[in-house]
């Protein structure tokens, strides 16, 4: 009887790698891909660091000035002899810079420049971030809703946007600010600080939502006929579900880009209004008013304009570079 042929034992299959060792690209979504692209952008990371530094300085301004031993409202030059000349100019060179006043003192009133700059960051960030938040909410709600509904709603939206964009924004801000304030504050009354901030935030928001809403309306119009929206309709989903669950998650990228670019625009506009005398009033520290005062004494004390000018330049440049980096990370084709 023939012996059976010898057979080799079957080769065991290689063990499957655990799920945690799967390539990152297979399990990462668009947000993770965008974050990795953003981390590879050195300019964007530096800009983010500068922006975070400004935010930390704004939040910690009371503690920093307490450690520094100065406050932004005390008139050191008038209260302490020897700091200001009879003409109101700093006696020490470079705008009165010394071990006691690191960035010098303000001509005329003699307030500490560094303390004014730190609190000026709080003023600019509060107005810019609050206005941008209101703009984002209004722009998202109106843009997504109009883009989905279309028809008569879309035509009415287009008309309102065209009328709003036809107004010269800066001139309108110059005219509306004092009018709104005098409507609620009597001639003999001092305008409270909260009203100054509220008026600027409302005016910025009233005209700032239009560009974002127009962008989102166009994006939603291109998405509402896509397969996933048609599938949601076929499944019996209502308009609210389609707008909130299907359309809104697909338009967050332009919202983020608009926010990062709107903040520096509002900061510069608010500084321009204060420079022209219709923004934030005394004694609230403000960069625009510091630059306005610096322009008056520039030939006698150019140092006083240098610090707020460089600060607002770095602040706006960092936010603009951050916005460009966010846009490139969310849409890599934009950076080509």
């Amino acid at each position: 009887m023939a012996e059976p042929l010898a057979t080799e034992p079957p080769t065991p299959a290689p063990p499957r790698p655990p799920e945690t060792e799967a390539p990152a690209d297979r399990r990462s979504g668009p947000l993770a891909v965008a974050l990795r692209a953003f981390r590879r952008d050195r300019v964007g990371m530096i800009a983010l660091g500068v922006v975070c530094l400004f935010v930390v300085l704004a939040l910690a301004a009371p503690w920093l000035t307490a450690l520094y031993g100065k406050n932004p409202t005390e008139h050191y030059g008038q209260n302490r002899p020897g700091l200001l000349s009879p003409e109101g100019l700093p006696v020490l060179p470079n705008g009165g810079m010394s071990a006691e006043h690191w960035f010098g003192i303000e001509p005329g009133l003699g307030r500490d420049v560094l303390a004014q700059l730190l609190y000026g960051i709080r003023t600019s960030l509060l107005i810019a971030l609050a206005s941008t938040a209101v703009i984002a909410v209004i722009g998202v709600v109106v843009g997504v809703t109009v883009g989905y509904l279309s028809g008569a709603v879309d035509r009415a939206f287009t008309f309102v946007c065209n009328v709003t964009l036809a107004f010269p924004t800066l001139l309108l801000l110059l005219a509306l600010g004092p009018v709104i304030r005098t409507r609620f504050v009597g001639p003999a009354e001092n305008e409270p600080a909260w009203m100054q901030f509220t008026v600027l935030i409302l005016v910025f928001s009233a005209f700032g939502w239009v560009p974002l809403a127009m962008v989102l309306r166009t994006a939603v119009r291109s998405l509402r006929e896509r397969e996933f929206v048609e599938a949601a309709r076929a499944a019996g989903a209502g308009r609210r579900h389609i707008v909130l669950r299907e359309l809104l998650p697909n338009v967050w990228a332009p919202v983020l880009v608009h926010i990062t670019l709107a903040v520096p625009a509002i900061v510069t506009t608010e500084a321009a209004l204060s420079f022209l005398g219709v923004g934030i009033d005394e004694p609230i520290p403000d960069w625009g008013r510091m630059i306005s005062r610096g322009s008056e004494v520039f030939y006698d004390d150019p140092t006083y304009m240098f610090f707020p000018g460089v600060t607002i330049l770095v602040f706006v440049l960092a936010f603009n570079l951050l916005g460009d980096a966010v846009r490139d990370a969310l849409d890599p084709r934009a950076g080509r």
Side-chain angles (χ1 to χ4, degrees):
M1 183 175 180
E3 297 181 359
L5 296 176
T7 58
E8 297 181 357
T11 303
R16 295 179 59 185
E19 294 295 332
T20 56
E21 298 180 5
D25 292 339
R26 293 183 181 179
R27 67 176 187 274
S28 61
L31 180 59
V33 174
L35 288 176
R36 286 198 299 272
F38 180 82
R39 286 196 295 265
R40 290 194 295 267
D41 191 335
R42 294 184 178 180
V43 176
M45 292 299 295
I46 294 174
L48 178 62
V50 174
V51 169
C52 293
L53 175 62
F54 273 100
V55 173
V56 172
L57 292 176
L59 295 175
W63 295 278
L64 293 176
T65 52
L67 292 175
Y68 178 49
K70 302 294 183 297
N71 67 72
T73 57
E74 184 174 347
H75 299 176
Y76 297 98
Q78 296 180 348
N79 299 333
R80 300 178 185 177
L83 294 180
L84 293 177
S85 67
E87 294 79 15
L89 298 175
V91 174
L92 296 177
N94 299 321
M97 295 175 61
S98 63
E100 186 178 3
H101 301 281
W102 296 355
F103 286 6
I105 57 177
E106 176 187 6
L109 298 179
R111 293 177 294 194
D112 187 84
V113 175
L114 177 56
Q116 289 252 308
L117 285 176
L118 291 174
Y119 274 84
I121 300 175
R122 293 167 65 91
T123 302
S124 298
L125 272 180
L126 176 59
I127 295 175
L129 294 180
S131 301
T132 304
V134 177
I135 288 171
V137 171
I138 298 176
V140 168
V141 172
V142 174
V144 175
T145 303
V146 171
Y148 179 73
L149 295 179
S150 189
V153 176
D154 183 79
R155 290 191 293 271
F157 168 79
T158 304
F159 175 78
V160 172
C161 290
N162 290 333
V163 172
T164 305
L165 294 176
F167 286 100
T169 306
L170 184 58
L171 294 179
L172 205 59
L173 291 172
L174 290 173
L176 285 180
V179 170
I180 297 175
R181 292 175 183 176
T182 55
R183 175 65 178 82
F184 297 99
V185 180
E189 299 177 0
N190 293 326
E191 184 180 3
W194 66 266
M195 181 173 290
Q196 300 181 40
F197 285 88
T198 303
V199 168
L200 287 177
I201 292 171
L202 291 178
V203 173
F204 284 133
S205 303
F207 298 93
W209 63 270
V210 175
L212 177 60
M214 296 181 69
V215 171
L216 295 182
R217 169 241 191 186
T218 303
V220 170
R221 290 184 66 180
S222 65
L223 291 173
R224 66 184 182 185
E225 305 300 333
R226 299 282 293 272
E227 292 80 2
F228 64 93
V229 177
E230 294 293 342
R233 289 198 191 100
R239 290 181 176 179
R240 182 178 180 181
H241 174 87
I242 294 175
V243 170
L244 297 179
R245 299 296 182 86
E246 305 295 337
L247 296 176
L248 193 57
N250 288 280
V251 297
W252 57 270
V255 174
L256 291 179
V257 174
H258 185 87
I259 288 175
T260 54
L261 296 178
V263 170
I266 294 175
V267 167
T268 53
T269 305
E270 184 274 326
L273 292 175
S274 297
F275 181 89
L276 297 173
V278 294
I280 299 297
D281 298 330
E282 294 282 5
I284 304 173
D286 183 81
W287 290 345
R289 201 174 59 250
M290 292 180 68
I291 295 176
S292 176
R293 176 58 179 158
S295 65
E296 298 174 357
V297 297
F298 179 76
Y299 291 104
D300 298 318
D301 183 16
T303 308
Y304 183 70
M305 180 183 281
F306 173 79
F307 288 109
V310 171
T311 303
I312 195 171
L313 174 64
V314 174
F315 182 88
V316 173
L317 179 62
F319 260 102
N320 285 333
L321 293 177
L322 177 62
D324 292 339
V326 171
R327 180 188 58 194
D328 294 341
L330 296 175
D331 184 10
R333 294 173 298 178
R336 296 179 183 177

